[in-house]
Amino acid sequence: MKGKDGGIPETVVPRTPDTAAPTLETVAAEAGVSRATVSRVVNGSPKVSQEVREVVEAAVARLGYVPNRAARSLVTRRTGSVALVVSEAEMKVFTDPLLAAMVRSLGVALSSHDVQLVLMMVRADHERQRLTGYLLGGHVDGVFLMSLHEGDPLPQILSDSGIPVVQMARPLGDVKLPYVDVDNVHGARLAVRHLVAIGRQRIATIAGPHDMVAGVDRLDGFRQELLAARMADHRVAFGDFSQSSGEQAMLALLADHPDLDAVFCASDLMAAGALRALRRHERRVPEDVAVVGYDDLDVAMLTEPPLSTVSQPVEAMAVTMVDMLLSRVAGRPKPSPAILPTRLVLRASG
């Protein structure tokens, strides 16, 4: 039935199971343009005027046309998805607030580009072989690498394959991949500088793993700032960024250095564990021992007392990683590394 102006009515009769799904040809006839023009609009080609684009998009909306991704991928050679590979066990991925926040933020940033995120976790060699086969089999357009440990062969494999890759965190090995990181050395120095400024004399640290760049750089920043303040830097214990490791490390520090009056923790989860250990030893925070963490995620505001911490911009990191990877997928030159700033957030723990 014609509308009042003789054109197609605004309301669309719902398609029944017996009605054929609209095709490019159907949309072309509806819009009064060629099939090739509809294809260009659907695939985002800039070679279409704004006026024609609006006419085609209106026809697409009226008919309820849904592009065939499989057919589109044959033309564009793209899948419309990218993988996020996290080199950690499944339990850690879903319990570590930083990892969870990055997964969420990457997904949100990709959604605005109509790109799907595929989450993959790997630790064992047989898992890595299966994952490598999937990544190199044309199932994804690019790869994010996160939570890498030194010695992991995957960065070299992917670099040699030519698939677009962006890494979260500065690479520790020889493989030079595009990456996004925060200034971990400076962030640690901000934390220690604050502890020195409030008069703490015997400052300890719970450092991250030796084989992860965040652990290495934050320990380096701790030592640089204490050296600048002409203070001893030997009060060090190590954790794996988890709450339980922070608690055990704090107990070890109290046993070895019972006179310590401040501790810088390389993650908020480890700081939460340190607070538990300090309570067990009846040390008041911050009166007896000041505590500063690193990350500034939800856990920092849920501890008792709330944590002073170094804030890193998770959402900005995710957006930058997405922009980098999609640029590589589009065939543009390899981008320069991006180092984002950190800032100190003061709360009640120190």
Side-chain angles (χ1 to χ4, degrees):
M1 184 176 68
K2 298 288 185 179
K4 290 181 180 180
D5 59 355
I8 301 297
E10 288 300 317
T11 56
V12 179
V13 177
R15 180 159 45 89
T16 67
D18 295 329
T19 306
T23 64
L24 285 176
E25 289 79 5
T26 312
V27 176
E30 174 78 4
V33 298
S34 69
R35 182 187 187 281
T37 297
V38 176
S39 178
R40 283 193 286 271
V41 171
V42 168
N43 287 291
S45 171
K47 299 179 180 179
V48 182
S49 71
Q50 184 62 29
E51 181 181 4
V52 171
R53 184 181 303 280
E54 290 174 358
V55 170
V56 173
E57 289 175 345
V60 166
R62 285 197 298 271
L63 295 175
Y65 172 72
V66 179
N68 186 324
R69 280 188 176 271
R72 184 191 297 181
S73 68
L74 292 175
V75 177
T76 64
R77 304 282 181 158
R78 295 183 189 167
T79 66
S81 62
V82 298
L84 168 60
V85 179
V86 186
S87 297
E88 300 289 356
E90 181 176 322
M91 181 62 70
K92 183 168 184 178
V93 174
F94 293 109
T95 57
D96 186 302
L98 177 62
L99 297 180
M102 279 303 304
V103 172
R104 181 175 63 253
S105 297
L106 285 171
V108 170
L110 284 168
S111 66
S112 64
H113 298 276
D114 195 26
V115 176
Q116 180 66 42
L117 183 66
V118 180
L119 176 61
M120 310 184 78
M121 291 156 284
V122 58
R123 285 299 297 269
D125 287 340
H126 71 278
E127 293 175 342
R128 188 175 290 106
Q129 291 173 1
R130 173 173 51 80
L131 175 141
T132 302
Y134 179 88
L135 296 178
L136 302 187
H139 300 288
V140 295
D141 299 324
V143 181
F144 295 118
L145 296 177
M146 189 165 74
S147 202
L148 284 175
H149 297 256
E150 190 174 18
D152 191 324
L154 191 56
Q156 185 68 64
I157 294 170
L158 295 179
S159 178
D160 292 343
S161 77
I163 189 171
V165 181
V166 171
Q167 183 171 324
M168 176 187 167
R170 176 178 62 83
L172 271 177
D174 296 329
V175 184
K176 304 303 180 187
L177 293 173
Y179 69 89
V180 177
D181 205 349
V182 296
D183 192 341
N184 284 299
V185 172
H186 181 66
R189 294 195 67 164
L190 286 176
V192 177
R193 189 175 305 159
H194 166 70
L195 292 172
V196 172
I198 62 174
R200 304 301 162 133
Q201 298 290 320
R202 297 171 296 281
I203 303 171
T205 187
I206 300 176
H210 300 278
D211 65 345
M212 298 187 73
V213 69
V216 172
D217 285 354
R218 292 170 196 177
L219 177 58
D220 190 23
F222 166 82
R223 286 178 163 152
Q224 285 184 25
E225 194 60 32
L226 286 185
L227 178 63
R230 301 179 183 275
M231 299 171 75
D233 65 359
H234 63 277
R235 301 178 182 89
V236 179
F238 292 89
D240 62 4
F241 292 131
S242 69
Q243 182 169 334
S244 60
S245 74
E247 183 173 3
Q248 292 304 310
M250 189 72 248
L251 292 173
L253 284 171
L254 289 170
D256 294 338
H257 309 284
D259 62 340
L260 65 83
D261 59 6
V263 58
F264 163 59
C265 303
S267 79
D268 286 346
L269 274 184
M270 292 199 298
L275 290 175
R276 290 184 59 180
L278 289 167
R279 280 196 298 272
R280 285 173 56 182
H281 278 255
E282 299 183 343
R283 301 291 183 93
R284 297 170 301 162
V285 176
E287 293 86 353
D288 300 327
V289 180
V291 179
V292 178
Y294 202 112
D295 287 331
D296 193 28
L297 297 171
D298 289 347
V299 64
M301 292 173 282
L302 298 175
T303 58
E304 182 54 46
L307 274 172
S308 293
T309 186
V310 178
S311 178
Q312 51 180 335
V314 172
E315 292 182 3
M317 292 176 70
V319 169
T320 306
M321 289 172 67
V322 166
D323 289 345
M324 272 192 182
L325 188 62
L326 296 186
S327 174
R328 293 290 289 144
V329 169
R332 289 189 279 275
K334 183 183 294 187
S336 300
I339 308 294
L340 304 186
T342 57
R343 62 188 179 90
L344 183 64
V345 178
L346 298 179
R347 298 192 179 95
S349 68

